Amino acid sequence: MKTASAALFLIGIASGLGSCGNDARLPAVPLALAAESMPLDEETIRFYPDRDGAALAKLASDTRKRAARAGRFIPKGGRPVQPTTFLAISGGGDDGAFGAGLLLGWSARGDRPKFDLVTGISTGALSAPFAFLGSEYDDELKGVYTRTSAEDIFEKRNFLAAINDDAMADTSPLRDLISRFVTRKLIQRIAEEYGKGRLLLIMTTNLDQSRPVIWNIGVIAASGKPESRNLIIEVLRASAAIPGVFPPVMLDVTINGKHFEEMHVDGGVVAQAFLYPPTLSLRGIGKANPDQKRVAYIIRNGRLFRPEESVRRQTLSIAQQAISTMTATSGVNDMYRLYMTAKRDGVGYNLAFIEPDFSEPYKGPFDRGYMNKLFEYGYSKARTGYNWHTSPPGYAE
């Protein structure tokens, strides 16, 4: 989110100049019709966490049944084969190199779990498919964060884009990058693991409705429809579409014969990390295995606080630093929200983040040298056994 503050300020300038840009688009889907908007005609393809509590509970229950059929649990009160493990990967732009290094170092150590649930937002959405499929995709995950540079992610537009366009940069390079790793084989592997009762969930923000949307990537992969690959690519790109910096992703939908468009942007607009919505309680799910342990791991691709800086007494500098501070604080607040939800449901809480001992100076968006050093930092931490934080920062039990 390092580049978001400047773009948000430019948006303020543009809004003050009036509607000079090109706003050609189909009508947005009204919230009242949201339940009827089903990409690929799959009812379980996505959820609005503030509206679909019953559907989410059914998803959790059905997922557990698929896991039992796959032999991952011993039924009728028997002890589970292994604890249920969750992984949440946060947003953070190029700081996603930390999470990638952590996961590969964890693999090298030899005790990285096969996660039952993996969630991702923004840069975490790009990491999540690899983390979900495990160490067999470690090389691909490493490549995304150690062999890419800014030109592999975006192309800058001129200053007038703040007025005449939908973002300050074009993310065609990012779409090409995502397209290269979202292969038919990767989609098939996600579908196979979904059939075993494992979940891969990605969050975007429906900007028209100002609401988060959780996408069930396993359902998309298992649908077998020709459009499934393109939809996965667009969902991943949307989750990383920092508003104002990167263009939104427009999804065409048809309801009762009428055509609409949905505008989706970075899931980090709503939250920087998630496990499952607080509206869903896990306590009543899986009562047949009361001894089953549940453990959550949260990777925050960022520091707890933005680095201190002597802020210039200028409007743009003040706005940038204020928004950067709000973004960092919001991420810490997410850590508390996840902790309270996990504690309510008896889920073990484990948090990783970039700590003060990483001192490499930031050199600009997606600088390869910076990302490589941050990757190695995360790798080293996990390879020797990461000291996971079992409560949010500053929280006293």
Side-chain angles (χ1 to χ4, degrees):
M1 299 296 285
K2 296 184 183 73
T3 55
S5 54
L8 287 171
F9 182 72
L10 290 171
I11 292 170
I13 295 175
S15 63
L17 293 174
S19 300
C20 303
N22 179 16
D23 190 34
R25 59 165 295 188
L26 294 173
V29 177
L31 184 60
L33 296 179
E36 301 178 45
S37 175
M38 293 180 291
L40 304 186
D41 294 322
E42 295 281 350
E43 291 186 2
T44 58
I45 204 168
R46 62 181 184 179
F47 304 92
Y48 287 78
D50 61 333
R51 293 166 57 92
D52 297 334
L56 282 164
K58 186 176 185 303
L59 171 66
S61 179
D62 290 347
T63 298
R64 186 173 184 81
K65 291 175 183 177
R66 285 198 303 276
R69 287 195 297 269
R72 294 177 55 227
F73 300 106
I74 299 174
K76 296 183 179 179
R79 291 186 176 275
V81 176
Q82 61 184 12
T84 298
T85 53
F86 306 145
L87 174 66
I89 312 176
S90 84
D94 43 18
D95 279 345
F98 167 70
L102 193 76
L103 287 165
L104 264 75
W106 204 350
S107 291
R109 182 177 168 82
D111 57 355
R112 174 175 152 189
K114 186 175 184 179
F115 301 104
D116 299 274
L117 167 68
V118 176
T119 70
I121 289 178
S122 196
T123 193
L126 304 183
S127 303
F130 304 127
F132 179 74
L133 294 176
S135 57
E136 65 181 284
Y137 278 87
D138 276 359
D139 286 344
E140 288 85 347
L141 176 58
K142 180 179 180 180
V144 169
Y145 289 98
T146 63
R147 294 192 289 271
T148 58
S149 301
E151 58 267 23
D152 300 307
I153 306 297
F154 63 88
E155 296 175 355
K156 291 182 180 179
R157 293 170 174 166
N158 64 41
F159 180 81
L160 291 177
I163 303 170
N164 297 322
D165 222 318
D166 57 2
M168 295 302 299
D170 176 9
T171 53
S172 296
L174 175 61
R175 194 186 193 284
D176 292 341
L177 176 66
I178 296 172
S179 298
R180 287 197 295 273
F181 74 69
V182 178
T183 62
R184 293 293 178 188
K185 178 182 177 182
L186 181 138
I187 294 171
Q188 179 183 349
R189 288 287 296 112
I190 291 174
E192 290 170 356
E193 295 304 316
Y194 174 74
K196 298 175 185 177
R198 300 178 63 223
L199 290 176
L200 172 59
L201 305 179
I202 301 299
M203 182 182 286
T204 65
T205 300
N206 184 321
L207 203 57
D208 296 310
Q209 298 174 1
S210 300
R211 278 173 166 78
V213 180
I214 296 175
W215 296 83
N216 188 341
I217 303 300
V219 167
I220 303 175
S223 71
K225 296 182 179 179
E227 314 96 306
S228 61
R229 178 173 179 266
N230 184 66
L231 182 57
I232 292 173
I233 291 169
E234 293 297 80
V235 168
L236 297 181
R237 187 164 70 99
S239 187
I242 304 169
V245 180
F246 296 160
V249 171
M250 309 301 294
L251 299 180
D252 295 331
V253 296
T254 302
I255 303 174
N256 299 325
K258 186 174 180 179
H259 295 283
F260 296 90
E261 273 186 328
E262 297 179 350
M263 180 182 286
H264 287 263
V265 298
D266 193 339
V269 170
V270 176
Q272 293 180 36
F274 77 105
L275 282 170
Y276 51 88
T279 52
L280 174 65
S281 175
L282 299 186
R283 287 226 177 249
I285 300 172
K287 289 182 178 178
N289 288 300
D291 296 329
Q292 180 190 357
K293 293 182 179 179
R294 296 185 175 106
V295 183
Y297 297 92
I298 300 105
I299 298 177
R300 172 171 164 75
N301 287 310
R303 306 171 190 269
L304 296 182
F305 305 100
R306 70 166 184 82
E308 66 174 282
E309 182 177 333
S310 180
V311 181
R312 288 176 295 172
R313 195 172 176 178
Q314 295 178 348
T315 303
L316 181 57
S317 294
I318 293 170
Q320 287 178 330
Q321 296 305 324
I323 294 174
S324 294
T325 300
M326 285 191 291
T327 300
T329 303
S330 174
V332 173
N333 290 342
D334 286 334
M335 302 305 104
Y336 275 82
R337 172 178 51 82
L338 295 178
Y339 177 76
M340 297 309 296
T341 303
K343 189 171 184 178
R344 178 197 68 187
D345 294 344
V347 178
Y349 179 95
N350 299 274
L351 171 65
F353 53 84
I354 302 173
E355 303 192 45
D357 58 341
F358 181 73
S359 57
E360 180 69 17
Y362 189 68
K363 300 174 183 176
F366 301 98
D367 176 79
R368 185 179 294 183
Y370 172 85
M371 289 193 295
N372 272 268
K373 289 185 178 180
L374 184 54
F375 176 91
E376 291 299 330
Y377 169 81
Y379 182 92
S380 176
K381 288 276 187 180
R383 180 67 179 83
T384 56
Y386 189 81
N387 184 24
W388 293 88
H389 301 265
T390 56
S391 62
Y395 185 84
E397 292 284 355

